[in-house]
Amino acid sequence: MNARDDDRLMHLPVAAERCVSRIERYGLSPTTLEDRLGANWKRRFYTVEVFFRGIIERPRAMPDAQTRRTFISHMKTCLPPGIPDIDIMRRQFGVKIAVASLCYKKDADRAAEVLLYDLRRVRNRVARIFGR
């Protein structure tokens, strides 16, 4: 789940599914699981561990936009329906990340890119101009 190699990270959805299967198989009864982990534990797990790590966090370190777009496109096809949960994203990571997540969820990838990458570049450029 913490892989830094892009090729290994492509297997993140498979690894996540294995984790969920193990938790369900070896862990506890569904009722006990919900008591210990919460009623929406699977949604939280996929939202934070797969969507956030695989689509929001990891692509920031990728060297170019085309690699990032290809990677994100592949990751989106591997997500279960309804992921990401925008409320979870907002509570855990803030409004900006939640809005970008909603853009990705609605296939408005370019809008998410502007929010996550282009605004940062503009802010940094303005800061350089004004010496901050």
Side-chain angles (χ1 to χ4, degrees):
M1 300 294 258
N2 294 322
R4 290 289 176 216
D5 177 16
D6 294 344
D7 292 332
R8 288 185 62 211
L9 199 60
M10 289 290 213
H11 301 289
L12 180 62
V14 174
E17 187 57 40
R18 286 181 184 158
C19 285
V20 168
S21 294
R22 280 191 203 123
I23 289 169
E24 290 175 331
R25 189 170 1 132
Y26 298 116
L28 310 159
S29 71
T31 306
T32 309
L33 270 175
E34 288 183 6
D35 287 344
R36 291 184 76 187
L37 302 176
N40 64 345
W41 71 273
K42 272 191 208 178
R43 285 179 69 81
R44 281 184 295 124
F45 177 78
Y46 278 107
T47 295
V48 173
E49 297 301 331
V50 180
F51 180 84
F52 178 75
R53 300 221 189 287
I55 293 179
I56 302 290
E57 184 179 59
R58 177 60 183 128
R60 288 181 177 182
M62 293 183 174
D64 63 279
Q66 189 54 46
T67 302
R68 185 173 56 241
R69 287 179 187 132
T70 302
F71 181 81
I72 289 170
S73 177
H74 169 75
M75 290 298 289
K76 284 173 52 178
T77 64
C78 299
L79 291 170
I83 301 299
D85 184 310
I86 303 304
D87 288 335
I88 292 169
M89 294 300 287
R90 183 186 50 76
R91 281 193 306 272
Q92 276 198 253
F93 305 108
V95 173
K96 178 181 170 184
I97 298 298
V99 171
S101 300
L102 182 61
C103 291
Y104 280 128
K105 187 175 183 174
K106 299 290 184 178
D107 292 325
D109 292 14
R110 185 63 189 121
E113 282 183 28
V114 166
L115 196 60
L116 293 173
Y117 305 108
D118 297 341
L119 290 180
R120 183 180 339 137
R121 272 188 240 125
V122 168
R123 185 186 68 222
N124 291 342
R125 190 172 291 160
V126 168
R128 277 193 303 263
I129 290 169
F130 292 105
R132 293 180 182 185

